[in-house]
Amino acid sequence: MGLVLFPGDGDISSPDVSWSYSGFAAFRRRVAETEGFVLSEMRGFGGERPWSEVSTPLEPLLDHPDDGGDDLSPAECASIQVRLEAITDQWAREGGDPLLQHHIEDARQLTVVLRLCIERGVPLVFL
């Protein structure tokens, strides 16, 4: 069982990105760490730290239910895409372990999906 993120335009041939729940959790933990905070300290992830104390354009992605919840708007997708591309470039320069390489691939795949949402003016759907 897992989740899939895809453009909400009804085109079933569009690219998507999928994770197991544990894989998505690991991906988000690494993204948060790169942004300078620990996800497990945040409200909704076992901690008490409010999201208002964190400044990142990735908040809509990081502070989102694993599946369901509201779709992300094209504007949210645009801000996420820009920052996620910068993080992916940073990770690629770091090189490293196989898990990091897997996160880089996932981030690049998500960036493709985000770009489609922006170009088509449709939301990013979590299923």
Side-chain angles (χ1 to χ4, degrees):
M1 197 73 189
L3 70 150
V4 180
L5 281 60
F6 59 94
D9 61 0
D11 181 354
I12 60 171
S13 67
S14 290
D16 59 40
V17 59
S18 60
W19 284 274
S20 65
Y21 288 111
S22 61
F24 188 56
F27 176 76
R28 291 199 294 184
R29 280 192 304 270
R30 180 158 265 166
V31 169
E33 193 176 288
T34 302
E35 288 293 84
F37 64 96
V38 177
L39 195 58
S40 64
E41 294 176 356
M42 303 306 295
R43 281 197 187 129
F45 292 89
E48 293 300 319
R49 186 175 181 190
W51 283 93
S52 61
E53 292 182 4
V54 174
S55 178
T56 174
L58 300 172
E59 181 182 344
L61 176 67
L62 296 173
D63 185 23
H64 193 281
D66 286 350
D67 57 4
D70 293 335
D71 297 340
L72 300 185
S73 72
E76 289 171 317
C77 291
S79 62
I80 291 167
Q81 181 217 350
V82 169
R83 182 63 188 132
L84 190 59
E85 284 181 337
I87 287 172
T88 305
D89 291 344
Q90 177 184 337
W91 288 349
R93 285 190 303 274
E94 292 172 6
D97 64 85
L99 182 56
L100 177 58
Q101 293 304 315
H102 188 70
H103 289 317
I104 290 169
E105 291 170 23
D106 287 342
R108 287 182 175 151
Q109 197 170 356
L110 177 55
T111 299
V112 168
V113 174
L114 291 167
R115 193 172 295 121
L116 279 175
C117 290
I118 297 160
E119 290 170 0
R120 296 177 181 174
V122 298
L124 177 68
V125 178
F126 286 64
L127 181 66

